[in-house]
Amino acid sequence: MRDMVNDIERVLVSKEEIAEMVKRLGKQISDDYRGQPLVVLGVLKGGFVFMADLVRAIDTPLELDFIAVSSYGASTKSSGVVQLRKDSDIPLTGKHVLIVEDIIDSGLTLTYLKEMLEARNPLSVKIATAFDKPERRKVPLHVDYSGIVIPDEYVVGYGLDYDSEMRNIPDLCVLKRSVYEK
Ligand code: PRP
């Protein structure tokens, strides 16, 4: 079991800074989609915390659902092979779609998801992420709503896990190197 205090090196983005970011993106998204049919799709698992905060910062009507994806094991994470584990059954024709992620790293997951959702004939597909690591990109990806750009460090909290734990830490924290290099 992880130690939620001693395994942490430092807070990278505090919950207060995250709240500011959520407010800013929520306002931008509300202004951009006002009067338009909007479906917000949260990507499980990591995206669930940001999703819950973001939809409450959007003051226009919307439908929401969750989708779940996973890459085929650690060695194939870089291959871009993504498996859809849970789909949404909301019809997307004639609606705008906003995908909500916790973090974008290589960009492979979002490239796959965007293409898959575009095939369902929505009016548009855009991407919102809480955190972005552009340094790690393997494929070019346009991020429409980028919360906070972060350096390439092992981060946990605010939905992000290490070994399936630590998603419930309210701040975004850097994990001690000794934890994952054991
Ligand atoms: C993370 C994150 C994205 C993906 C981003 O999910 O939530 O879905 O990785 O990485 P990429 O840009 O390199 O594709 P993860 O696979 O850790 O699953 P989880 O959200 O269930 O923890």
Side-chain angles (χ1 to χ4, degrees), residues 43-47 69 71 77 101-110 161 167:
V43 184
L44 295 172
K45 295 178 185 175
V69 289
S71 41
K77 179 125 196 182
E101 265 286 15
D102 52 348
I103 193 160
I104 301 177
D105 194 346
S106 68
L108 293 166
T109 306
L110 264 297
D161 75 307
R167 295 190 196 273

Side-chain angles (χ1 to χ4, degrees), residues 83-180:
Q83 186 182 17
L84 187 66
R85 291 196 176 275
K86 182 216 173 292
D87 203 349
S88 165
D89 53 12
I90 299 181
L92 302 181
T93 311
K95 296 171 188 169
H96 293 283
V97 175
L98 181 65
I99 310 173
V100 173
E101 265 286 15
D102 52 348
I103 193 160
I104 301 177
D105 194 346
S106 68
L108 293 166
T109 306
L110 264 297
T111 300
Y112 165 84
L113 276 178
K114 205 173 172 195
E115 202 171 293
M116 181 196 90
L117 295 168
E118 271 165 354
R120 298 179 189 182
N121 295 313
L123 292 174
S124 67
V125 179
K126 288 192 175 177
I127 296 168
T129 189
F131 309 109
D132 191 4
K133 278 184 181 173
E135 276 175 63
R136 299 262 306 174
R137 214 66 102 237
K138 290 203 173 108
V139 286
L141 179 76
H142 178 71
V143 182
D144 304 278
Y145 304 97
S146 176
I148 298 171
V149 171
I150 59 167
D152 183 15
E153 298 201 71
Y154 203 126
V155 284
V156 293
Y158 201 69
L160 286 104
D161 75 307
Y162 171 69
D163 203 12
S164 301
E165 295 183 7
M166 300 192 161
R167 295 190 196 273
N168 54 325
I169 298 174
D171 310 286
L172 186 75
C173 300
V174 176
L175 195 63
K176 276 187 187 157
R177 196 170 271 275
S178 58
V179 175
Y180 60 93

